[in-house]
Amino acid sequence: MIEKHIVIEDIDPVMFYGVGNAHLQMLKALYPKLRIVARDNVLRVLGDEQQMAAFEEAVERMRQHLLKFNALKEEDILDITRGRRLSDDVPDDVVCYSISGRPIKARTANQQHLIDAYNDNDMIFAVGPAGTGKTYLSIALAVRALKDKTAKKIILSRPAVEAGEKLGFLPGDMKDKIDPYLQPLYDALEDMLPAVKLQDMMEKHQIQIAPLAFMRGRTLSDAVVILDEAQNTTPAQLRMFLTRMGWNTKMIITGDTSQIDLPPRAKSGLIEALHILTGIEGIGVVNLTQKDIVRHRLVTRIVNAYEDYDKEREG
């Protein structure tokens, strides 16, 4: 008899063990010659050497499957333990999987252009109205890079500009103060990474919150950097942000030029940057439209109505 400690890395142990430890109980039944005890992300296994080797291999295949697909079903465990080959290939059109196992991929032609632009360029501007998925897809691309180890960290930033109302003093430390502005980014991350894993990545600074005001002087390397709501940056702020780019870094700048919350006479840094940088090699610009809106169908109608109203006023 031998004893081994198997560490389950890069995944949420709760998803691995299953609801009510159902997956763990299933493994114990499938390997009767082993005594299996789980504590956090460590499996303590005691028993027959031959069955131990088979168990180790099964655990690793389960871990890899969960890492890729964010889901592990009982039939997957049975197939793995019985030596059946699972389809471990992620379809070409899938960016990554949500925590429910739903494939995240482009739903419109322009969303696919955004993915292609990310693959072909180091800096991407994704511009379009609300609901076109520009922020969500950007987060998905960043999560994929982290899982594929093509980037070491994700850096999220957003200008702290209120949408037409003053929130006043916000209590807490810097993270507490900036969190309300970054909630849309957190919402997307929580849909793609299990809560325990997300918290662990933030504690290890694999996912960082970088307020735009404190970016000066930094060099951002080996990262996917996302600046959301860039239409609310000033020209000086955006220029400073873009020049933080370091080696092996991808930058995604998202914004909606129809929703600028800056003071009336202030100029949007996004509009200026699009005028100056469009056409430069290595920089991709993707313009999303009302046809790319993937929220409730009323959002498309609302965006169209406001556009018509703006054109009337300009006329």
Side-chain angles (χ1 to χ4, degrees):
M1 291 181 67
I2 60 170
E3 180 179 339
K4 281 193 176 181
H5 291 141
I6 303 170
V7 181
I8 306 166
E9 296 180 321
D10 299 328
I11 58 170
D12 183 357
V14 175
M15 294 181 74
F16 183 88
Y17 298 141
V19 178
N21 285 337
H23 295 168
L24 185 62
Q25 297 304 323
M26 192 174 175
L27 286 172
K28 288 179 179 179
L30 289 166
Y31 295 93
K33 295 181 181 179
L34 299 178
R35 183 168 178 266
I36 305 166
V37 179
R39 185 180 294 274
D40 295 327
N41 67 328
V42 180
L43 287 170
R44 180 173 171 266
V45 190
L46 179 71
D48 178 74
E49 186 174 355
Q50 186 176 353
Q51 202 164 92
M52 178 84 72
F55 177 77
E56 271 190 289
E57 184 180 341
V59 167
E60 178 57 22
R61 286 186 63 194
M62 288 167 60
R63 189 189 72 84
Q64 291 286 352
H65 186 82
L66 191 50
L67 191 62
K68 281 185 180 180
F69 300 101
N70 255 345
L72 186 66
K73 297 178 283 190
E74 291 186 359
E75 49 264 40
D76 296 330
I77 297 173
L78 283 174
D79 287 342
I80 288 170
T81 54
R82 290 171 181 172
R84 295 175 190 155
R85 183 166 182 79
L86 294 178
S87 177
D88 288 333
D89 295 328
V90 176
D92 291 337
D93 62 340
V94 174
V95 178
C96 63
Y97 288 83
S98 71
I99 55 173
S100 62
R102 173 178 56 84
I104 298 170
K105 55 186 177 181
R107 293 171 62 181
T108 69
N110 282 332
Q111 286 187 356
Q112 186 58 51
H113 291 161
L114 172 55
I115 296 170
D116 295 339
Y118 174 87
N119 294 331
D120 296 337
N121 301 277
D122 289 334
M123 184 179 290
I124 307 97
F125 287 85
V127 185
T132 50
K134 51 191 184 294
T135 300
Y136 191 80
L137 264 183
S138 298
I139 296 285
L141 289 164
V143 168
R144 183 183 71 179
L146 210 57
K147 287 188 173 186
D148 291 346
K149 302 191 185 300
T150 56
K152 292 181 180 177
K153 53 184 177 283
I154 298 172
I155 299 173
L156 307 174
S157 192
R158 203 173 190 236
V161 177
E162 293 99 343
E165 59 179 321
K166 299 296 181 185
L167 300 179
F169 173 76
L170 293 174
D173 58 18
M174 184 181 71
K175 182 179 178 300
D176 294 329
K177 292 177 190 296
I178 201 70
D179 271 358
Y181 301 100
L182 292 165
Q183 194 56 51
L185 304 180
Y186 283 127
D187 290 344
L189 283 169
E190 288 168 358
D191 194 37
M192 299 172 206
L193 294 168
V196 174
K197 185 63 182 172
L198 177 57
Q199 183 64 34
D200 181 59
M201 284 180 162
M202 294 191 73
E203 288 174 359
K204 292 177 179 176
H205 301 291
Q206 289 176 291
I207 295 176
Q208 299 178 17
I209 307 303
L212 193 58
F214 298 153
M215 294 287 277
R216 189 174 296 281
R218 292 190 68 181
T219 301
L220 309 175
S221 299
D222 297 311
V224 177
V225 186
I226 298 172
L227 174 62
D228 196 33
E229 301 289 352
Q231 77 275 5
N232 289 329
T233 61
T234 65
Q237 283 177 323
L238 190 53
R239 183 176 182 176
M240 176 273 294
F241 174 82
L242 297 178
T243 53
R244 302 304 95 205
M245 193 173 190
W247 294 105
N248 190 36
T249 287
K250 296 256 190 183
M251 271 192 174
I252 308 176
I253 300 94
T254 71
D256 177 3
T257 53
S258 70
Q259 294 192 29
I260 297 173
D261 301 311
L262 294 169
R265 294 189 180 182
K267 189 175 181 181
S268 169
L270 177 61
I271 292 175
E272 182 181 89
L274 290 170
H275 176 69
I276 295 170
L277 302 177
T278 298
I280 293 179
E281 186 180 353
I283 298 178
V285 178
V286 180
N287 290 295
L288 298 110
T289 68
Q290 293 89 333
K291 293 179 181 178
D292 302 301
I293 293 175
V294 290
R295 289 182 186 163
H296 194 285
R297 60 182 177 273
L298 274 179
V299 176
T300 304
R301 298 171 192 170
I302 291 167
V303 170
N304 287 335
Y306 271 97
E307 276 207 350
D308 292 341
Y309 175 72
D310 290 340
K311 285 175 184 175
E312 273 185 35
R313 287 177 61 193
E314 288 171 7

